[in-house]
Amino acid sequence: MINLFDTFDTSSLDFLRSQVIAKVKIPSVVIEDDGFLPEDVDSPFSYYTENKGNRRPLYFDQLPLPNRYWRIEATGDQAQVMDMDRQRATIFYSATDNTRLVKEVHWLDEQGRVSWVDHYNRHGQRFAKTYFNQDQPVLRKYFTPQGKEVVTWNLPAGDLTLNVGAVTRHFPSIEDFVIFYLRDRHYKLDHIFYNTLNRALAVSLRLGGNGSDTLFWHEPTGDELPGNMQFLMKNETRTKHVVFQRFPDWKKYGSQLQQSAGNVDFRYLGTIYPHPRSNNLRPEILILTNSDQIEQLTPLVQGMPNLHFHIAAITEMSSKLMAFADYQNVDVYPTVTTNRVQKLIKECDVYMDINHGNEILDAVRGAFEQNMLIVGFKNTLHRPELLAPENIFDPADVDGMKQRVMTALIQPRLMEQLIDHQREVAGDVKVADYQETIGELTND
């Protein structure tokens, strides 16, 4: 039995964390390795290139430059390689926590288009290189830490070549490559848990045999089921179960699917989220941002003078945002440390997801796990799946947001109901329920 993920995105991480909390031990494989997989998660690319080790990731100013006169200019979001006043490359970080660790370097041609991308891993090694033609990726090569080319992937055609030892193998698709790897590693393939209807599904379909696989469906479902899911319902395949992980979608489709499931069994199982504390109804509001574009901040601050706002950024703040420190009920924290943010998350009981621009420090998720009441505007949401619909407001409805927050803070029963609904919408499940469902799936 294995977990098989296309990529190690947030949903895959949540799925794996839930298993860890529930003490469900299943090997995990990621098809597309971004270089920053956890140590206990494997991939065919990291396996054959032997990209393991204990070195630290590459800090942005440690990037080797091809010209001694070029320089690196950096912000908390990304960095640029500059040749006088000309940009030669863009450096992308592995996270938004201001650690500035290099994940990708996009090198530019004379016209300013991406010519190739150097991919770095969590050990500071350049483990892959993607070549571009007319802004399109056409070829990717994977290397050992010593620089030996091991895997070549023709991206438009989809075929791969593997060079290990004195043997060269050709695979017509990445799915064939993954199947070879799974068998080469002697994984037990009687039951595969996968969470996309893309490459992992294709592996399951091509693998054949007498397996009993399970799709954990976490993506939003529109007005009709995805075509590939309908295919699983109509055809006899290895996939015997489809597990919905979004509670609103299960509520919408569940009873209908259980009556007309076809060749698969449909059921619901959400995610186990850690909740180290309860909401304590403290009049403390937290906003994390790397921009001074915060929706309706002035009327919110002025309209709730008895509530204390904490506005933090991991970068320097503009004078516009710093000016809010003049309000008695506002504290601002420019270039805030991670320790300080963790302290603020523990001390505040309301999070406002109202900043434009990127989310930083996984702020909404942190607020959710701390059982903070999360409110936001329709045009500023970063993690809408973690907010209850009744806590999402139109930008013009400032009064509605104020009323919701102030009323919840003085009515413990209402706050409890709001937090319970917030967790229900996000698909929060208990450990015992998780263990029971996984047990039923694996014993089928």
Side-chain angles (χ1 to χ4, degrees), residues 50-69:
E50 300 179 345
N51 271 294
K52 299 288 185 180
N54 54 11
R55 292 175 54 193
R56 296 175 59 83
L58 191 70
Y59 193 58
F60 80 95
D61 66 357
Q62 297 173 327
L63 178 72
L65 299 180
N67 189 307
R68 60 182 295 190
Y69 296 107

Side-chain angles (χ1 to χ4, degrees), residues 404-420:
R404 173 60 43 77
V405 171
M406 292 188 295
T407 304
L409 287 173
I410 61 173
Q411 295 185 20
R413 180 57 183 158
L414 174 61
M415 179 66 85
E416 182 181 358
Q417 292 172 347
L418 291 173
I419 296 300
D420 285 347

Side-chain angles (χ1 to χ4, degrees), residues 44-52 55 119 121 123-129 141-152 162-165:
F45 295 104
S46 63
Y47 175 70
Y48 289 116
T49 58
E50 300 179 345
N51 271 294
K52 299 288 185 180
R55 292 175 54 193
H119 304 264
N121 62 21
H123 306 295
Q125 303 157 341
R126 191 190 70 159
F127 77 102
K129 183 174 184 177
K141 297 181 178 181
Y142 292 84
F143 312 98
T144 66
Q146 294 75 34
K148 178 187 175 183
E149 182 181 329
V150 175
V151 181
T152 303
L162 172 65
N163 296 287
V164 177

Side-chain angles (χ1 to χ4, degrees), residues 379-412:
N379 60 334
T380 61
L381 301 180
H382 296 93
R383 298 286 299 276
E385 70 276 10
L386 297 180
L387 277 73
E390 65 268 24
N391 296 330
I392 301 173
F393 300 86
D394 187 273
D397 189 16
V398 178
D399 289 340
M401 181 178 286
K402 291 191 302 183
Q403 187 66 31
R404 173 60 43 77
V405 171
M406 292 188 295
T407 304
L409 287 173
I410 61 173
Q411 295 185 20

Side-chain angles (χ1 to χ4, degrees), residues 96-145:
T96 60
D97 56 3
N98 207 30
T99 52
R100 306 190 185 194
L101 303 176
V102 178
K103 183 174 184 179
E104 293 183 356
V105 182
H106 293 216
W107 295 95
L108 309 178
D109 63 16
E110 299 299 319
Q111 288 74 44
R113 299 174 302 191
V114 177
S115 182
W116 77 88
V117 174
D118 287 332
H119 304 264
Y120 288 83
N121 62 21
R122 64 199 307 267
H123 306 295
Q125 303 157 341
R126 191 190 70 159
F127 77 102
K129 183 174 184 177
T130 302
Y131 297 86
F132 280 69
N133 182 27
Q134 300 294 321
D135 295 324
Q136 297 298 316
V138 294
L139 186 70
R140 183 171 299 157
K141 297 181 178 181
Y142 292 84
F143 312 98
T144 66

